[in-house]
């Protein structure tokens, strides 16, 4: 395996080179004691040729064109793509193979994937006025990017933050924070997942039961791993369809141009959801579920058809957030482009295997260019490089670009108000 060493302000960074692309895995950017603020690591050399243990969280992984490509461009710097992984705010890692950024590098983009603390250690706070430890972690990573990305040819004046699912929620939270001003210039948020009940009275109560004490940052830090893990399980048990921890949508404050996407069948393939849609009381359940998960408008029985439970669970968890992001960002005077993945011809790659449908995570392979010639990859490349796309903007007609199908068989259309059902049911 070929290796290359880059001299950066943080130290000598050695990575592997394959097909003209440099990968430096799992560079420590910070350290933290449990539930304590994170602090930057000491500068020093780093060997990033091997993936480290998945529980190493406060790391970044860099995927970049070789310096020769920058020289061929006359020394012109590369746009920077920040990637924040998803995983319900409970799991995931910046070096996951299905989020490999090789194709972005071959298209002249430096991708820096950011790790952060998860579960209660990353998302407990004693009051709503505090920031989450995980978000503070991400801003320390942004400090690392500002200092070191130019060593990989990165252009600090052209930075896009992106994420999928929980990662999209964090990307939007990051972009809402004044600490991002002037350092992040646009957002790509795919199937954004926020939590409805994070930090609620009942979940705080369950955390206290888990550690056997009144819950607080100090009490959790003293409780030990076993009790904290038990607290996490109890907090998660409050609602299996709602992330146990993580930011709520009301923390989102639009400040940047945004490309927002969702799928039309986010959780249709989940076995418990399929069971619910075979019950004779499925419409009764779906209506009740909507009422307890933030519904403010009439239930769209006609639009939801034979899969009311799949639709209401998918919309409450994902599509309602997507359309709220679009509506709120347009109202704030920022440009928005919206897109939706739908079932059709071809076999796209979902998280658990190949599918011709449009489940949650189908967007990952398309975003990273692993699915052959799907148009979304080029749309993402253009947005990262130029801050705009060929897609129609989401505005008064609420235009959403839809892609039905996989690979180069995807059929593109533009649908006015494609997210009407979740917009009216859950309010935007």
């Amino acid at each position: 395996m070929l290796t290359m060493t880059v001299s950066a302000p943080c130290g000598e960074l050695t990575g592997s080179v394959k097909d003209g692309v440099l990968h430096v895995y799992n560079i420590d950017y910070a350290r933290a004691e449990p539930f304590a603020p994170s602090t930057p690591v000491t500068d020093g050399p780093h060997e990033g040729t091997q993936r480290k243990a998945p529980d190493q969280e406060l790391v970044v992984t860099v995927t970049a064109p070789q310096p020769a490509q920058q020289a061929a461009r006359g020394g012109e710097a590369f746009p920077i793509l920040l990637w924040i992984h998803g995983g319900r705010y409970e799991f995931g890692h910046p070096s996951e193979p299905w989020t490999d950024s090789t194709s972005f590098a071959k298209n002249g983009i430096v991708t820096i994937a950011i790790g952060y603390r998860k579960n209660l250690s990353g998302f407990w706070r004693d009051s709503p006025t505090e920031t989450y430890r995980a978000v503070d972690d991400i801003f320390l990573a942004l400090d690392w990017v500002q200092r070191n990305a130019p060593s990989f040819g990165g252009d600090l004046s052209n930075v896009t933050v992106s994420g999928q699912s929980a990662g999209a929620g964090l990307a939007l939270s990051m972009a809402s924070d004044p600490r991002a001003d002037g350092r992040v210039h646009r957002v790509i948020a795919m199937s954004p997942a926020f939590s409805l009940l994070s930090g609620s009275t009942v979940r705080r109560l369950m955390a206290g039961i888990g550690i056997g004490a009144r819950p607080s940052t100090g009490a959790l830090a003293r409780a030990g791993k076993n009790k904290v893990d038990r607290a996490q399980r109890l907090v998660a048990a409050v609602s299996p369809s709602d992330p146990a921890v993580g930011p709520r949508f009301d923390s989102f404050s639009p400040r940047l141009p945004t490309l927002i996407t969702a799928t039309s069948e986010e959780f249709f393939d989940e076995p418990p959801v399929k069971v619910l849609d075979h019950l004779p009381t499925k419409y009764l359940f779906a209506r009740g579920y909507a009422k307890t998960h933030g519904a403010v408008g009439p239930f769209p029985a006609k639009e939801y058809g034979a899969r009311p439970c799949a639709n209401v669970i998918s919309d409450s968890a994902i599509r309602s957030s997507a359309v709220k992001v679009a509506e709120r960002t347009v109202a704030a005077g920022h440009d928005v482009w919206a897109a939706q993945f739908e079932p059709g011809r071809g076999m796209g790659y979902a998280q658990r295997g190949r599918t011709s449908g449009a489940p949650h995570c189908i967007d990952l392979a398309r975003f990273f260019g692993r699915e052959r010639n799907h148009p979304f990859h080029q749309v993402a490349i253009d947005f990262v490089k130029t801050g705009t796309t060929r897609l129609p903007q989401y505005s008064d007609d609420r235009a959403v670009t839809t892609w039905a199908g996989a690979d180069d068989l995807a059929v593109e259309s533009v649908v006015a108000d494609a997210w009407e059902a979740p917009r009216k049911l859950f309010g935007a």
Side-chain angles (χ1 to χ4, degrees), residues 23-208:
H23 305 269
V24 188
Y25 294 105
N26 304 313
I27 307 164
D28 296 312
Y29 71 83
R31 290 193 174 87
E33 295 297 320
F35 295 92
S38 51
T39 56
V41 299
T42 303
D43 292 344
H46 173 80
E47 295 283 339
T49 56
Q50 299 292 327
R51 292 182 173 87
K52 294 186 177 180
D55 60 351
Q56 186 179 16
E57 298 178 314
L58 300 183
V59 297
V60 295
T61 285
V62 180
T63 306
Q66 283 185 269
Q69 185 173 337
Q70 187 180 18
R73 290 159 52 103
E76 181 184 356
F78 302 115
I80 298 170
L81 174 65
L82 305 180
W83 171 253
I84 304 177
H85 69 81
R88 287 182 61 91
Y89 307 101
E90 298 177 35
F91 52 87
H93 194 268
S95 294
E96 294 163 332
W98 48 86
T99 59
D100 180 274
S101 301
T102 294
S103 184
F104 282 124
K106 289 183 176 180
N107 281 279
I109 294 169
V110 174
T111 303
I112 302 178
I114 297 172
Y116 54 91
R117 281 177 285 179
K118 294 171 280 292
N119 295 306
L120 291 173
S121 65
F123 294 97
W124 177 270
R125 57 184 181 180
D126 291 332
S127 77
T129 60
E130 298 177 2
T131 57
Y132 292 112
R133 296 292 193 216
V135 175
D136 290 340
D137 295 342
I138 289 169
F139 275 101
L140 269 187
L142 182 59
D143 292 342
W144 187 96
V145 170
Q146 291 279 303
R147 187 175 178 222
N148 295 285
S151 299
F152 294 91
D155 180 0
L156 296 179
S157 69
N158 192 358
V159 178
T160 302
V161 64
S162 62
Q164 189 265 350
S165 195
L170 284 170
L172 291 164
S173 296
M174 181 186 186
S176 301
D177 195 305
R179 288 177 287 180
D181 288 354
R183 302 200 290 172
V184 177
H185 306 98
R186 65 194 69 91
V187 188
I188 301 175
M190 295 172 280
S191 292
F194 290 93
S195 176
L196 291 171
L197 300 174
S198 176
S200 64
T201 299
V202 65
R203 281 189 158 153
R204 298 177 77 85
L205 174 64
M206 299 308 287

Side-chain angles (χ1 to χ4, degrees), residues 355-379:
T355 175
S356 58
H360 195 61
C361 295
I362 196 70
D363 38 20
L364 287 174
R366 296 168 181 178
F367 179 70
F368 286 99
R370 290 171 46 238
E371 189 175 294
R372 185 187 70 249
N373 295 328
H374 192 283
F376 182 50
H377 184 52
Q378 188 61 51
V379 166

Side-chain angles (χ1 to χ4, degrees), residues 34-35 207-208 210-213 216-231:
F35 295 92
I211 63 173
S216 67
T217 298
L220 286 160
R222 295 187 295 269
K225 184 177 185 305
N226 289 340
K227 287 185 177 180
V228 171
D229 287 348
R230 181 173 65 183

Side-chain angles (χ1 to χ4, degrees), residues 318-368:
I318 302 294
R319 290 208 308 168
S320 62
S321 292
V323 70
K324 287 178 182 178
V325 166
E327 294 281 323
R328 185 175 287 189
T329 305
V330 167
H334 302 292
D335 292 339
V336 176
W337 296 263
Q340 178 164 275
F341 302 97
E342 300 182 349
R345 295 177 61 198
M347 293 293 285
Y349 290 87
Q351 189 175 29
R352 299 174 186 168
R354 302 183 73 193
T355 175
S356 58
H360 195 61
C361 295
I362 196 70
D363 38 20
L364 287 174
R366 296 168 181 178
F367 179 70
F368 286 99

Side-chain angles (χ1 to χ4, degrees), residues 270-282:
E270 295 297 320
V273 178
K274 289 182 176 180
V275 170
L276 289 171
D277 273 329
H278 279 89
L279 297 175
T281 56
K282 60 185 179 183

